[in-house]
Amino acid sequence: MEEIVQKRKYYRLRYPRRAMPTVRIDDQLFHVSEISEKGIRIIMNNFASLYRGLTLTGTLSLGVDNQIPVKGQVLRFDDNEVILQLVQGPSFKDMVEQQRHIRTKYPVHFARLRSQSVA
């Protein structure tokens, strides 16, 4: 079986659609499709008021008892997603716990990601 090689400094965790955490920014709630220790990918259908370099702050909810303050700058836009480069966000411990949670609750998710990257 071929392993996915992570070429980035920080591991990125992509969520299955039904397991996506949320982030609250300016009293609005958004789904998060991917997180890392230094980045977050937020699903936003209307981001006309945003621009590269804009600093956003909010609270990432990784579960009932895990609310994480986030702060970062808009790095880029990708379809209906905004990518923030974080200066404050999830820790390595948070990332490990989230990966363990996804592997336990959605065991086929990582296998599906591997098959997509090979194809």
Side-chain angles (χ1 to χ4, degrees):
M1 184 183 320
E2 194 171 319
E3 286 292 317
I4 297 174
V5 177
Q6 185 70 250
K7 295 179 182 178
R8 301 185 185 284
K9 186 173 181 180
Y10 297 99
Y11 176 76
R12 294 191 308 179
L13 178 61
R14 187 133 188 98
Y15 284 90
R17 184 172 301 279
R18 62 183 176 258
M20 288 182 184
T22 57
V23 64
R24 181 172 297 280
I25 299 172
D26 295 332
D27 292 326
Q28 292 186 349
L29 205 57
F30 303 98
H31 282 99
V32 174
S33 63
E34 189 175 274
I35 65 170
S36 77
E37 290 171 69
K38 294 294 180 181
I40 187 172
R41 187 177 280 258
I42 304 167
I43 299 173
M44 283 188 190
N45 292 322
N46 182 10
F47 45 77
S49 62
L50 303 181
Y51 55 89
R52 283 189 66 198
L54 176 67
T55 298
L56 296 175
T57 59
T59 304
L60 176 65
S61 178
L62 296 179
V64 176
D65 296 330
N66 197 358
Q67 307 295 310
I68 300 169
V70 293
K71 180 179 181 180
Q73 290 187 326
V74 174
L75 181 63
R76 63 186 170 88
F77 304 94
D78 187 12
D79 292 330
N80 68 334
E81 296 180 319
V82 176
I83 293 86
L84 296 184
Q85 185 173 20
L86 299 177
V87 294
Q88 179 181 14
S91 67
F92 177 74
K93 180 183 175 202
D94 295 320
M95 293 299 299
V96 170
E97 288 173 358
Q98 285 297 293
Q99 185 178 11
R100 185 177 303 123
H101 169 73
I102 297 299
R103 283 192 187 278
T104 302
K105 193 154 182 165
Y106 305 94
V108 298
H109 176 67
F110 288 102
R112 190 174 300 129
L113 288 177
R114 272 194 300 275
S115 68
Q116 290 173 356
S117 70
V118 174

